Amino acid sequence: QVQLVESGGGLVQAGGSLRLSCAPSRRTFNTAAMGWFRQAPGKEREFVAAIKWSGDGPYYSDSVKGRFTISRDNAENTVYLLMNSLKPEDTAVYFCAAGPNIFYSTERWNYWGQGTQVTVSS
């Protein structure tokens, strides 16, 4: 079993920045790809960004493209999501995910973190 440990959530003003971190407990063929999803109250979980440990990608949703940056540090076994120019619409619970490949749908990912709250105030 793979556990994903997330951190970095918090409250930030619009236009500010925040960096999320995710560290899997172990690397397997089922964790070749790492991704970030988010879920706002009353809404479905949606794709945000993804990258492979090999560096393939990254991929972003249209709503965050140009503002968010996903990266990975293989030595530290950590994936990051740097969120710049944050908007109130970005407010959601952000989830780290791991899987064998990069997918836009939630169903294809094997492991999920507990989620971290990101709140952007006006």
Side-chain angles (χ1 to χ4, degrees):
Q1 182 75 345
V2 176
Q3 293 182 329
L4 303 179
V5 181
E6 301 165 318
S7 62
L11 194 157
V12 64
Q13 292 184 344
S17 299
L18 207 61
R19 190 181 74 164
L20 307 182
S21 300
C22 176
S25 59
R26 49 193 284 258
R27 296 264 295 275
T28 71
F29 69 97
N30 277 329
T31 62
M34 301 293 294
W36 288 97
F37 291 76
R38 66 185 182 184
Q39 186 169 21
K43 297 183 179 180
E44 295 183 351
R45 192 170 301 183
E46 65 174 353
F47 174 84
V48 175
I51 193 172
K52 287 187 175 182
W53 290 105
S54 64
D56 287 354
Y59 296 92
Y60 300 95
S61 66
D62 291 337
S63 61
V64 307
K65 191 174 299 181
R67 298 188 298 121
F68 291 11
T69 302
I70 187 171
S71 61
R72 90 286 188 222
D73 188 326
N74 294 65
E76 295 295 328
N77 195 43
T78 304
V79 174
Y80 304 95
L81 182 67
L82 176 60
M83 303 179 291
N84 293 323
S85 302
L86 282 164
K87 306 174 182 179
E89 306 90 86
D90 296 318
T91 295
V93 176
Y94 283 70
F95 297 89
C96 179
N101 214 327
I102 295 176
F103 303 101
Y104 291 103
S105 62
T106 62
E107 293 80 7
R108 302 290 193 94
W109 298 80
N110 300 111
Y111 306 101
W112 293 89
Q114 78 286 352
T116 183
Q117 177 69 47
V118 172
T119 302
V120 184
S121 62
S122 300

